Structures are given as structure tokens and as C-alpha cells.
């Protein structure tokens, strides 16, 4: 028997018991006549104590041969500790071992297995199995497990059933790049790994499973950013005979349930905001509503006063940084440098300081009178002591730049507390997005998204203005998920493909299976997918998803632990009838 208890289990009430524990040696403190060992497993740490005179010399000698991360099995007596450790669940007791068995040795780990480790990112990725022994990562995986479990509980109670869909599917050009897998039995042909189970879940609706879900791996071959992974997990859902409201209520309910179950908190009801308002007020389709500073348009007030920068701009727009009139010249310069960084690209930053004495000072006083500036502060609802920060230029870019500045101000002023949650639904996205480079429309969500009923006539006349019956769930400025009511009619789906520049043959060849299915009694349906990794990270108060995935890839899409991707053997290539040749892309 390896253990009667775990290392997190024993309490004062267990004193006097003979127990067996197994685990890893976290730490040995050898004070000569006294030796303490911290024995660790997944459940916690239990202290072992050996004392010269009490413990046999042979056992003491044996313990002196142990090193960090050795795996041992200990038999001993539970005794009350003299100096208790209230930080530790087992801190009232310790074990007096009478025998220790070495189960396995360990090389010296390349970094310390402590909450605050000395290991750098790359090293920890290479020895991920050791990194996962550390509490913070272990806790993350436990949280992830709990979240998955509660997700299933919630959805099951509402009659959703989990159905697996295939991982080897067909490559389609929409969306991100596919990962492809060559088929040995069909030489020259490839499977693709799913970017999401989108078409399959829609087919399941045609099959009559009116409430489907799956906690499912998805694959996207995209250039990676800090919080993206080439494979990631979604809570993927679809419902038949529903309208948007019911979907939003169901999944708002789910997220509220998860926060309650996992964090014990009641999050606020979700605000609903349409895309146009989100862009106008926050310059982004995923606003962080933990703080105010919504945008105020000042174009009409700012123009016609001879200030060339504003007169030539399509949009003059500002935020009111409340209480920031005391910002020093240096602080404002730093903000100016921030917006001028190449990633943001503003030409400059204009400010109006509303001094405590009621006087107004702007960065171009010679063009604007006190009366002019008074109108600005009134529109921005500013009070003495506030500071207006203003950007100008082309509408779309200026809104985006001001979004960055607003978030930066939120950071500077400590208004983005990771333990404060502000959820919302963003609705009424545009159906299509025009791409200048390829001179064609792309689906903003995906090609199966239904246009807003009212806008259908505009598909022929003004497609760019058509709104989609699509929605995103946003929490704290992070897009947690998105979905839509789908097209369930062959004609409309065909029209959508036309708008996206598909010929009839292309549409038929790539998505014929779906359009054909629509001809066999497809019910009205819609759904959503939530980023499971991201939701877990958010619940834990973190931005990056990497440490919420057991074995993630690094920023170049590599798994440095197993060293993947890697070349394959010539024999494997031959079987696949593939040959490696370097081709330079235009
Ligand atoms: N399949 C979509 C996605 O992965 C979500 C959905 O529309 O349900 O983004």
C-alpha cells in the first residue's frame, strides 16, 4: 500500500495514528539534531520530523541521502506539532517516520518547484511536467476541471446533450487558415482539423437534436499573439427553434451559474449594447465596462476655429479623465508618447485641463477661447479637476486610437481590477466586412450567420449596411464568445455565398452538404461558442490563457517539451506520397 492518506489530509484529530504517505520531497531542512522534510503531493504538504536520539541513526542517514523531488513512501506516527503553522492545512501536525522507502530518485530540477519559481518561461515550458507540480499551475487546472464539470451540469439540466463531432474534416477557405492532415489512403488529398464544429452542429439541428453542446478542441493556423493558441477549447453550443433572446438568456445564465459555483460571486446582469454604440462610445466591439470614460464627439465644437489639425479631421473625439487635471506636464507627455507609438499611430494628443479654480487650459490656447472650452467641458460632463484627452483624424482610426488611450488610462488609474466583472452582450454586428486588399466582402462572423430579418432587402442594394443576427459575449474587455442565428434556408445561404464572392460551383463543392441538408426540413436554429481557456483565465483573474492549458504551445506555435512540429521519416512521406520541396511564396 502506498498511502493511507494524502499529504493534504491529516489534522490534529489524527494524532496518534499510524499512517502511510507517499509524495515528493519538496524541502529538507537539516539542523543537525533535527531534520524536517516537507512532503508534497497534489493535495498539500505534510511535514516529517526526525530527531537525533529519537529516530534511528540508520533512518537519519537514509534521509540525508534524499534530495529535492525524490519520491518517497513514509510510514510513521501523527503527532501534534510544537510550533504550528497556520498557513498550512496540515500545519497542526507532523509525522514521526519509522520507515522511509525510496520510490524513485530525481535529478535536481532545473528550477525551484515553489509558488514563486526562479525558472524562466522557456525552461518551464520545456519541463512543463515539473512546472505543473507548482501550486499556481495546479490550481489553474483544478479550476479548469471544475468549470468543465459545472458547464456540463448546467447544460445537461437544460436538456443539452454533448455530441462529439469529427476532428478530421474538410478544408474550407473561409475564416482562419486550416491545419491540414494528409490522407494516406487517399493520396494527394487532405483532411483539415476543424476551426470549430460549426457545420456539424448545424447538421445536428437538422437531425433534430435541438440542444447540442460540446467542450471541444478547435484548431486555427493563425499567427500567434500572446493569448492565442493554435489549438484551444470552446464550449460549443447550438439550439433549434430559438430566437436570439433565448440564446442570450441561456448563456448569460450559464456564465452567471459558473461564476457563482466556481467563484461564489453573483455577477451583474449583462448590459446589451449594439455594435454601432460600442464603436461610437468605446471605439471597440469589446468594451471594458469596469470604468467609464466613454467617448464624446467634439467635432462640431472643435472645428472652424482656425486650428488646422481639427479642421482637417473627420472626427474630433475625447474622453474625460475625471480628477486628472493635476497630471503633470511629464505625465501628459508620456500619454502623448503612448498614442504616438507606431502600434497606435496617433499624430498627437490634445488636452483640456479644467483647473480647480474653474479656469481652462488647452494645448492650443491661441485657437480656443475660455468660452469655447467651456462648451467642450459641458458636453463631456466634466467638473473642475478633470482632464479632457482628445484625438482627431479619420473616424475609424481615431476611434481605435482613443480606445487604446482609454484602456491605458484605465490601467494608470487602477480601474481595471481583475476581480471585478462587467459583462455585456454586443449585438447587431455588420454582416459583412469589406476588404480593400482583395476587393471583396468577408463574413464578419462566418458565412452561416443570418442577416437581421429587417435588413434582408438591403442584401441586394446596400450589403455593407446589413446587420447580422449575431452577438458577442464580452467581459472586462475580453471577447469570451460569440454566435449567431443561422441561415436555415438554401436560397438565402446561396445568396450569402454569392455576396462572399463564391461561384455556384465553389459554394456547392465546399458547402453543398450543408445546403443540401437545408432542403430536408432544417429547423430555425442558432448558437454560440465560448472560449473555454479564456473563460477559465478570466475567472482566475488572468489575461493569458497559456497557464490554463496543461501543455500549451509557445509563441511560435512550438511545443518545446516534445519538440513539435518536427520532420517526419522519409518512409512516412513515401506512404503519404508526399515530397518536401521548398517553394517561395510571392
Ligand atoms: N463557430 C463559431 C466560432 O467558433 C461560433 C458560433 O457561431 O457558434 O466562432
Amino acid at each position: 500500500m502506498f498511502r493511507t492518506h494524502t499529504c493534504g489530509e491529516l489534522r490534529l484529530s489524527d494524532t496518534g495514528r499510524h499512517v502511510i504517505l507517499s509524495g515528493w520531497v519538496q524541502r529538507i531542512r537539516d539542523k543537525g539534531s533535527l531534520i524536517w522534510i516537507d512532503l508534497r503531493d497534489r493535495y498539500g504538504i505534510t511535514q516529517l520530523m526526525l530527531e537525533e536520539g529519537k529516530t534511528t541513526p540508520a533512518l537519519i542517514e537514509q534521509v540525508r541521502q534524499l534530495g529535492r523531488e525524490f519520491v518517497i513512501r513514509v510510514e510513521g506516527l501523527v503527532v501534534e506539532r510544537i510550533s504550528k503553522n497556520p498557513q498550512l492545512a496540515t500545519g497542526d501536525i507532523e509525522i514521526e517516520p519509522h520507515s522511509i522507502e525510496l520510490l524513485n530518485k530525481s535529478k535536481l530540477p532545473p528550477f525551484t518547484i515553489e509558488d514563486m519559481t526562479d525558472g524562466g518561461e522557456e525552461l518551464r515550458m520545456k519541463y512543463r511536467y515539473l512546472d505543473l507540480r507548482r501550486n499556481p499551475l495546479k490550481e489553474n487546472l483544478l479550476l479548469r476541471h471544475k468549470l468543465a464539470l459545472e458547464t456540463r451540469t448546467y447544460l445537461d439540466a437544460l436538456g443539452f446533450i454533448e455530441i462529439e463531432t469529427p476532428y478530421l474534416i474538410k478544408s474550407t477557405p473561409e475564416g482562419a487558415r486550416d491545419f491540414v492532415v494528409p490522407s494516406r489512403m487517399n493520396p494527394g488529398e487532405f483532411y483539415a482539423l476543424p476551426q470549430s464544429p460549426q457545420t456539424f452542429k448545424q447538421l445536428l439541428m437538422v437531425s433534430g437534436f435541438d440542444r447540442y453542446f460540446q467542450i471541444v478542441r478547435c484548431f486555427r493556423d493563425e499567427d500567434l499573439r500572446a493569448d492565442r493558441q493554435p489549438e484551444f477549447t470552446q464550449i460549443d453550443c447550438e439550439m433549434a427553434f430559438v430566437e436570439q433572446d433565448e440564446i442570450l438568456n441561456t448563456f448569460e445564465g450559464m456564465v452567471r451559474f459558473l461564476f457563482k459555483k466556481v467563484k461564489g460571486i453573483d455577477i451583474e446582469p449583462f448590459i446589451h449594447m449594439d455594435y454601432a454604440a460600442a464603436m461610437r462610445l468605446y471605439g471597440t466591439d469589446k468594451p471594458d465596462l469596469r470604468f467609464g470614460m466613454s467617448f464624446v464627439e467634439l467635432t462640431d465644437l472643435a472645428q472652424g476655429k482656425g486650428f488646422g489639425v481639427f479642421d482637417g479631421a473627420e472626427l474630433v473625439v475625447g474622453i474625460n479623465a475625471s480628477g486628472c487635471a493635476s497630471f503633470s506636464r511629464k505625465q501628459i507627455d508620456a500619454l502623448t508618447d503612448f498614442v504616438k507609438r507606431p502600434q497606435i499611430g496617433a499624430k498627437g494628443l490634445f488636452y483640456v485641463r479644467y483647473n480647480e479654480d474653474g479656469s481652462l487650459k488647452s494645448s492650443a490656447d491661441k485657437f480656443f477661447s475660455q468660452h469655447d472650452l467651456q462648451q467642450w467641458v459641458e458636453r463631456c460632463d466634466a467638473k473642475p479637476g478633470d482632464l479632457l484627452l482628445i484625438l482627431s483624424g479619420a473616424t475609424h482610426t481615431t476611434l481605435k486610437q482613443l480606445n487604446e488611450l482609454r484602456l491605458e488610462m484605465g490601467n494608470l488609474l487602477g480601474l481595471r481590477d481583475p476581480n471585478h466583472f462587467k459583462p455585456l452582450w454586443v449585438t447587431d454586428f455588420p454582416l459583412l466586412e469589406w476588404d480593400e486588399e482583395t476587393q471583396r466582402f468577408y463574413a464578419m462572423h462566418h458565412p452561416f450567420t443570418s442577416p437581421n430579418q429587417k435588413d434582408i432587402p438591403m442584401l441586394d442594394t446596400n450589403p455593407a449596411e446589413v446587420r447580422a443576427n449575431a452577438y458577442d459575449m464580452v467581459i472586462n474587455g475580453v471577447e469570451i464568445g460569440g454566435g449567431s442565428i443561422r441561415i436555415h434556408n438554401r436560397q438565402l445561404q446561396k445568396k450569402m455565398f454569392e455576396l462572399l464572392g463564391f461561384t455556384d460551383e465553389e459554394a456547392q463543392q465546399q458547402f453543398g452538404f450543408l445546403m443540401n441538408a437545408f432542403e430536408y426540413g432544417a429547423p430555425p436554429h442558432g448558437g454560440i461558442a465560448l472560449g473555454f481557456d479564456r473563460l477559465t483565465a478570466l475567472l482566475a483573474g488572468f489575461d493569458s490563457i497559456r497557464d490554463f492549458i496543461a501543455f500549451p504551445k509557445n509563441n511560435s506555435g512550438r511545443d518545446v517539451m516534445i519538440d513539435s512540429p518536427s520532420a517526419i521519416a522519409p518512409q512516412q512521406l513515401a506512404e503519404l506520397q508526399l515530397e518536401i520541396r521548398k517553394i517561395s511564396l510571392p
Side-chain angles (χ1 to χ4, degrees), residues 195-198 201 218 220 232 234 236-238 445-446 449 482-484 486 527-529:
Q195 296 183 27
S196 85
Q198 186 60 36
K201 65 175 172 175
C218 300
R220 295 184 191 172
F232 59 96
Q234 287 190 341
D236 190 50
C237 308
E238 197 75 4
H445 189 52
H446 51 54
T449 293
S484 58
R486 326 296 185 189
I528 192 168

Side-chain angles (χ1 to χ4, degrees), residues 434-467:
W434 180 255
D435 182 58
E436 274 304 324
E437 208 174 297
T438 49
Q439 289 288 304
R440 55 159 279 202
F441 281 117
Y442 283 86
M444 191 143 180
H445 189 52
H446 51 54
F448 317 109
T449 293
S450 169
N452 201 319
Q453 281 302 319
K454 284 192 234 96
D455 295 354
I456 288 183
M458 274 200 298
L459 282 174
D460 292 316
T461 53
N462 192 0
E465 290 296 311
V466 174
R467 287 163 304 164

